Amino acid sequence: MSKGEHGIDPEFRAVCVSNPIAAAPIMDPNISSYPPVGQVTQLRDNSFQFFALLEVQNEYAEDPWEVAVWHSAGDGWTETLLSPISATDSPSSLQITSPSNTPLYFGAPFFVSSSLNFTVKFRNSRNESWMWSREVSGTADGVVLINPEVPLAEAETNLSNIIHGLNPDLKVRASASQTPRTQLWTINASVGPVQDDRSTYADVELGTPWGGSLRYFALSGETFSLAWSQWYSECDDAPSQLKFGLCKITFYNSKIRNDAETESSGLVLAAVGDNFESAIAAVMYHARTVVLATGNGENKLAQELESLSDGFKPEWYENWYDGLGYCTWNALGQRLTDKKIIDAVEALANDHINISTLIIDDNWQDVDYEGDDQYQYGWKGFEAEPNAFPRGLKDTVSRIRSKHPSIQSVVVWHALLGYWGGISSSGELAKTYKTVQIDRDDSNLRSPMTIVAKEDADKLYNDFYRFLSDCGIDGVKTDVQYMIDTWVSAGQRRELTEKYLDTWMIAALRHFSLRTISCMSQAPQILFHQQLPRNRPVMLVRNSDDFYPNIPDSHPWHIYCNAHNSLLTQHLNTLPDWDMFQTDHQFAGFHAAARCLSGGPIYITDAPGKHDVDLINQMAGPTPRGQTVIFRPSVVGKSIDAYTSYNEPVILKIGSYNGRAVTGTPVLGVFNTSQQKLRELIPVSRFPGVLSATKYVVRAHRSGFVTPVVYPDSPTAMLAVSLDVRDYDIFTAYPVTQFQSETNGRIYIANLGLIGKMTGAAAILTNQSELLHTGRVFLDTRLKALGVLGVYISSLPTMSIERDFMITILGEPVPTHTVTIDAADDHVLNIDVETAWKEMDLYAGWSNEVEVKVYFDIEHP
């Protein structure tokens, strides 16, 4: 929880509520292309195939349509007419299209030496006027940049030749980069000591990379002193390998802050590389090295963490965040009671929603309610609010656990400093622990707060967490952590900031094995001191602002921000938490798809009885032991288009990946965050982790359609994607295995995982296939949950289930009726493992996985 229903971040309101995106006019016909208009496309090769898709009404499909590219390489504009392309050589469509429209494809080879600006136009005969893509979709010109691989030895080594007007007062030094094909510099700027117990700031001018930018990427926040900028330049005098740069600036509004009593310096890290991800990685790896090298007196912390981590053993694959969670925040309102919580859990059980984690959010604590709002309320004591929990927290948790044994973890909320307003000066805690008054300069409230003093911070956390453990609590959601960055006194910042961060982490590790959710913690002190080092277990960290159910414009913004924040947070020792959502909400599917791609936890906050069970079943599934697990890809989801702004009419693409390199499955989610229908051609080569030498089939979650077998770099390995406003889909690219049959030639197979799940490929634990000496193919799959296993077999349309297949679970043949041909694609074999498991009355025993073996004859008649 951040501001929640108490108030909306003014920056969010200004960007997303008061200035919504203006919808571009929708006209028929519609045009889309690859490379796309309105975007910057990087290509390695000078030669490429230009594709255009023209969608027209059926009655006009036979007209003599013409499509042309209007382009310039810097020496004037010219026109290239595209040629019609047959359906067999066209991109694939994995969506259900309008029966009243006909897709027409056009293409032509292009050669670009360095860069190309272009747009697209079309007409239905030579006698008609041209229509331009800008008129139809509201998109600007597209840009193609050729970015060939250039040996690092030829790269620029003088940063002043890259950053024009580089401030001569800065101390610049080249440093060794830990990322291949990148260069790295450190930049130091001086800042004076504190004055009158107030932090000192220094305004610093850095310079302009390449003198200007074509596009840039930046992350910045009103409440944290961190700005990221990546410049994307198209300068004639810039070598092609230096068209990318990243600068991590530890400035607040372009200022360096110093809390020390002596003069200090701020550090800027700058890197260049031939791709975005490498440049970011170079900076983050070096930042971690700097943090560990400085130490800042962390020896005691490191020793404590090491001693506690020695006994830290994650439980199999099912970490506590691998189960489906339920949070009380939006579901039950801001005056929690034990009855509300127990009734909500009971309602979930009645609807057969089997949660594994219960999060009791804000408003369970005993606070003084003194002041105008929660920013002034102080925490009185450990026990739950006596009127709302008359028999105490322990009794509530005990009743929940005894009646719902599937709930493995019960987590409670608290602020890092106790509550939003700290400690109540009149409560029991203030009488038990030494306290101090501390001034804060918070945007929500500028007033002093009472907190536990440094001398008693360890005792407070150990006593509190010991109390929670005795109540049956085994995790905490620790919020309002940014408050430490609002403290005014430089001396108190020095004395208390790291003390509180370290004390909390050690206590959480000692008492809860770091079953924690860190919230509102994207302040630089927390990012670099606590979340960047890797000498501790991974913990969950909120990746964005809250889910606001009642603000329609917040939902696309929420997905967009999380996808782009992950470009940074992927490099921290954290697992990103994209926050809770409601399954009966207008944008529930939109949020559900994003959470499945995120790689982080999934927890819902439905009001009792208001659930979309079908949507929940697309996100989670039952294990053989009766638990419910989600399907987290092994690589966190993130935007693959860093340079695309929220206000542009462009499909948001969130890329993820599951499994090992080469044999894993690339996943791409597509989301329409604009206010108009969007169409794009998306190459399979843009999926994260695809290999040019590997063949794939791509399946759409929502339609179940599957592409033919393709190489990613082939011209036709492209998806035609169309999304209505707030629409979404998830595409998964499955590597295929080829077998040679004497009677049927080449046969391709691919394990599709649990096909009813949004990220069902992540249900696969192991996957092996081989050709036996009998002429049969043997596919062995271990799954983390029950569901419908899909297997792509290129020759399936000519095969017989009864004649050519044998399928077993735990060595027992499955009922014949549980094996069917998929209704959406007759190359996909469906094995209903969940139904077979129940009908066969199988027992998991000690295992929490299910093994499915498929045998089939590739020498079938």
Side-chain angles (χ1 to χ4, degrees), residues 30 91 104-105 165 192 213 238 445 448 500 603 620 627-628 660 693 705 711 757 765 821:
N30 296 286
L104 303 175
Y105 288 95
S213 63
L445 186 66
Y500 262 92
Y603 38 91
Q627 300 297 323
T628 299
R660 299 178 178 178
F705 296 165
Y711 280 113
K757 315 301 179 183
L765 299 174
I821 305 298

Side-chain angles (χ1 to χ4, degrees), residues 542-835:
R542 273 286 299 280
N543 202 55
S544 72
D545 204 348
D546 280 14
F547 163 74
Y548 297 111
N550 300 321
I551 304 177
D553 287 331
S554 72
H555 302 291
W557 176 247
H558 184 95
I559 306 305
Y560 178 90
C561 286
N562 271 289
H564 286 77
N565 285 350
S566 290
L567 292 168
L568 165 65
T569 58
Q570 65 175 319
H571 294 286
L572 303 176
N573 189 35
T574 63
L575 195 65
D577 168 14
W578 289 27
D579 201 19
M580 67 195 89
F581 73 101
Q582 295 175 323
T583 66
D584 71 329
H585 195 272
Q586 179 183 1
F587 300 122
F590 203 69
H591 281 284
R595 301 309 189 278
C596 289
L597 288 161
S598 74
I602 298 176
Y603 38 91
I604 60 177
T605 183
D606 295 349
K610 296 182 178 181
H611 315 293
D612 185 334
V613 177
D614 177 68
L615 185 64
I616 291 172
N617 288 336
Q618 293 180 55
M619 299 185 290
T623 70
R625 289 182 173 181
Q627 300 297 323
T628 299
V629 294
I630 60 175
F631 307 104
R632 294 189 305 107
S634 49
V635 175
V636 300
K638 57 194 174 185
S639 170
I640 67 169
D641 291 320
Y643 300 110
T644 299
S645 134
Y646 178 68
N647 294 312
E648 294 180 282
V650 174
I651 289 175
L652 171 65
K653 306 170 197 70
I654 301 177
S656 187
Y657 187 89
N658 185 73
R660 299 178 178 178
V662 180
T663 59
T665 48
V667 186
L668 186 70
V670 289
F671 299 81
N672 185 349
T673 58
S674 77
Q675 293 188 356
Q676 66 184 64
K677 186 170 184 176
L678 296 178
R679 300 167 179 83
E680 286 190 29
L681 297 176
I682 303 176
V684 175
S685 60
R686 296 217 64 202
F687 283 49
V690 296
L691 301 174
S692 59
T694 301
K695 292 181 179 180
Y696 296 87
V697 291
V698 180
R699 183 180 184 273
H701 168 70
R702 302 192 72 179
S703 69
F705 296 165
V706 182
T707 68
V709 176
V710 295
Y711 280 113
D713 290 338
S714 63
T716 57
M718 194 171 294
L719 305 180
V721 179
S722 177
L723 297 176
D724 288 322
V725 176
R726 305 300 183 260
D727 202 2
Y728 68 93
D729 210 336
I730 296 177
F731 304 114
T732 304
Y734 300 91
V736 300
T737 301
Q738 176 183 310
F739 295 100
Q740 190 67 35
S741 164
E742 293 182 3
T743 57
N744 298 297
R746 293 178 183 174
I747 293 179
Y748 299 98
I749 72 166
N751 191 331
L752 307 184
L754 296 184
I755 60 174
K757 315 301 179 183
M758 289 186 172
T759 49
I764 300 173
L765 299 174
T766 62
N767 171 43
Q768 296 178 325
S769 61
E770 62 177 307
L771 180 61
L772 304 176
H773 69 277
T774 59
R776 284 177 171 260
V777 168
F778 169 50
L779 175 64
D780 188 5
T781 305
R782 292 181 182 270
L783 300 167
K784 68 187 297 185
L786 305 174
V788 177
L789 174 64
V791 181
Y792 174 89
I793 305 172
S794 60
S795 61
L796 186 60
T798 63
M799 300 175 71
S800 165
I801 292 176
E802 292 79 7
R803 181 192 65 206
D804 299 320
F805 286 89
M806 167 62 75
I807 300 167
T808 66
I809 300 177
L810 299 184
E812 298 291 331
V814 302
T816 304
H817 68 89
T818 62
V819 184
T820 58
I821 305 298
D822 190 74
D825 193 300
D826 60 1
H827 297 89
V828 177
L829 185 76
N830 289 348
I831 305 167
D832 191 341
V833 178
E834 185 172 6
T835 298

Side-chain angles (χ1 to χ4, degrees), residues 37 58 82 121 280 357 382 392 469 479 505 628 647 720 741 760 817:
V37 293
N58 293 340
L82 305 183
K121 58 182 181 177
I280 288 184
T357 300
F382 294 161
S469 296
D479 208 339
M505 172 163 279
T628 299
N647 294 312
S741 164
H817 68 89

Side-chain angles (χ1 to χ4, degrees), residues 322-392:
D322 277 325
L324 179 66
Y326 180 80
C327 183
T328 62
W329 176 242
N330 296 112
L332 304 182
Q334 297 178 26
R335 284 293 181 267
L336 275 183
T337 66
D338 59 351
K339 185 178 187 305
K340 284 183 178 181
I341 297 171
I342 290 171
D343 288 349
V345 174
E346 191 69 26
L348 290 167
N350 291 339
D351 286 328
H352 307 288
I353 300 171
N354 197 17
I355 64 169
S356 297
T357 300
L358 171 65
I359 302 172
I360 301 174
D361 214 303
D362 191 3
N363 296 298
W364 70 271
Q365 290 170 283
D366 187 12
V367 298
D368 58 17
Y369 296 108
E370 295 179 3
D372 297 330
D373 54 33
Q374 90 273 14
Y375 295 103
Q376 294 174 289
Y377 299 162
W379 186 30
K380 294 168 61 178
F382 294 161
E383 185 55 87
E385 208 284 322
N387 294 320
F389 297 80
R391 291 190 284 183

Side-chain angles (χ1 to χ4, degrees), residues 73-75 113-117 145 161 164 210-212 214 233-243:
D75 51 357
S113 59
S114 178
S115 65
L116 184 78
N117 289 63
L145 291 179
N161 292 334
H164 293 190
W210 295 286
L214 176 63
S233 178
E234 187 193 12
C235 301
D236 293 336
D237 60 347
S240 59
Q241 78 274 15
L242 294 180
K243 288 180 178 174

